[in-house]
Amino acid sequence: MAKHVLLCPPAHFDVVDQKNPYMSKNSGVDRAKAQRQWQALCSALEEAGCQVETITPAPGLEDMVFAANQVFVGFHEGVGKFIVPSRMVHASRQREVPFYVDWFRQRGYQIIEVDLGAEHLEGHGDLLWHPDWSRIYAGYGFRSTQAGVEKFRDAMSELGIPVVPLRLVDPYCYHLDTCFCPLNNEAVLVYPGAYAPESLATLRGFWKRVHELSADETHKFTGNGIVANGRYLTPHLTPHLETILREEGLTPVTVETSEFEKAGGSLFCMKAFLP
Ligand code: ARG
């Protein structure tokens, strides 16, 4: 069955402020190039057998293209397809959330509202499923807050889904998806320098093979790739990553994201897989 994936066209994409360290070197976005890169991502996903669905981009929401952040998407035997709306740190990004919630509501998803109070939770930027849906890894420290992740964990425990909190310590890895990428049920790409020592130890316990990326690979979003039907879509390919992918039986596909990297995001950040 084709994997369905949600993307948001970059019609209003821009870098207008500094939400993360990548955005401080703002050299101006090439809009036409961004559009071409986004189109290439759509094509690469389709060639990998995915069905691409889109949400209408809203004017003034310059980061709405990063479709991984506004809601957490899940599936549960009892509840069916569900989402947990985010409470984003930045005001402009918080305004993106209702658009995504409406999109999912119109398609029959249950909406699990976690009462986050003043805490933050940033969707699949920080919350990643184990590939077999058996647990959720939850990064915190820069965007999602520890208490936000704990409230999320309480809500998921009612569904019997375990949540593993992981403390992030590298400002260039402000979201978990910049330094953690499951390749299959046994193997994960990780940048060890992004984690507090106890969190790194916890994480290792859940994987048979932990492939370590360098700081340089990580800060170029090599680990912010997309696994789809035997392929690994990556913005940059290093000989080291190539070796890892070969070992895991994945075919590398390079999809450039230079314009989106200026906003601190790449391939993984630009989509949400649908159950
Ligand atoms: N400019 C966006 C922000 O700082 C980038 C989001 C990247 N998304 C991600 N899932 N890492 O919020």
Side-chain angles (χ1 to χ4, degrees):
M1 225 179 65
K3 251 189 183 182
H4 287 238
V5 58
L6 175 62
L7 268 71
C8 177
H12 308 290
F13 170 63
D14 206 352
V15 175
V16 298
D17 54 9
Q18 298 184 10
K19 301 182 185 80
N20 60 61
Y22 300 90
M23 298 176 93
S24 59
K25 313 180 196 72
N26 181 12
S27 48
V29 169
D30 181 334
R31 295 287 199 96
K33 196 170 176 185
Q35 178 61 39
R36 286 198 299 276
Q37 292 178 340
W38 184 83
Q39 206 62 55
L41 168 59
C42 290
S43 304
L45 285 166
E46 283 165 358
E47 280 158 27
C50 297
Q51 187 161 322
V52 175
E53 303 193 29
T54 55
I55 180 171
T56 309
L61 300 183
E62 71 282 352
D63 273 325
M64 193 169 167
V65 68
F66 295 109
N69 303 145
Q70 301 81 359
V71 304
F72 171 82
V73 190
F75 179 80
H76 174 264
E77 291 288 320
V79 177
K81 302 192 282 187
F82 71 90
I83 60 166
V84 177
S86 298
R87 188 167 177 277
M88 307 284 298
V89 171
H90 301 95
S92 82
R93 299 226 59 193
Q94 186 51 29
R95 290 197 295 275
E96 300 168 15
V97 176
F99 290 97
Y100 278 81
V101 171
D102 284 348
W103 190 95
F104 283 94
R105 184 185 285 117
Q106 284 160 16
R107 284 156 185 84
Y109 283 70
Q110 294 287 330
I111 298 167
I112 300 182
E113 291 280 359
V114 176
D115 181 9
L116 290 163
E119 301 303 329
H120 295 287
L121 196 66
E122 297 215 340
H124 294 288
D126 280 322
L127 307 170
L128 276 81
W129 283 101
H130 198 84
D132 64 5
W133 302 79
S134 61
R135 73 180 73 81
I136 301 161
Y137 302 91
Y140 67 86
F142 293 100
R143 294 299 187 80
S144 301
T145 53
Q146 182 171 11
V149 159
E150 280 161 6
K151 286 170 186 250
F152 175 75
R153 180 172 62 180
D154 292 346
M156 291 300 104
S157 80
E158 286 176 32
L159 302 178
I161 306 170
V163 173
V164 183
L166 300 167
R167 187 157 68 88
L168 302 175
V169 297
D170 173 357
Y172 282 90
C173 298
Y174 62 93
H175 271 152
L176 181 64
D177 68 5
T178 60
C179 54
F180 179 89
C181 187
L183 297 179
N184 51 51
N185 282 321
E186 298 183 347
V188 64
L189 292 177
V190 155
Y191 168 53
Y195 302 87
E198 65 281 8
S199 293
L200 184 59
T202 304
L203 181 163
R204 285 186 192 280
F206 291 103
W207 301 87
K208 277 202 181 134
R209 298 181 297 285
V210 175
H211 298 288
E212 299 188 1
L213 296 176
S214 69
D216 191 52
E217 285 174 312
T218 304
H219 297 156
K220 287 183 173 135
F221 296 99
T222 304
N224 191 256
I226 303 177
V227 178
N229 296 327
R231 302 178 185 203
Y232 184 77
L233 280 46
T234 178
H236 299 281
L237 187 58
T238 60
H240 174 229
L241 177 64
E242 232 174 332
T243 307
I244 297 168
L245 296 177
R246 194 173 313 120
E247 194 185 320
E248 297 299 338
L250 291 167
T251 307
V253 176
T254 305
V255 180
E256 281 179 26
T257 55
S258 61
E259 299 317 295
F260 302 100
E261 290 164 32
K262 293 173 184 172
S266 184
L267 299 171
F268 187 98
C269 316
M270 295 166 69
K271 61 94 192 74
F273 275 124
L274 307 173

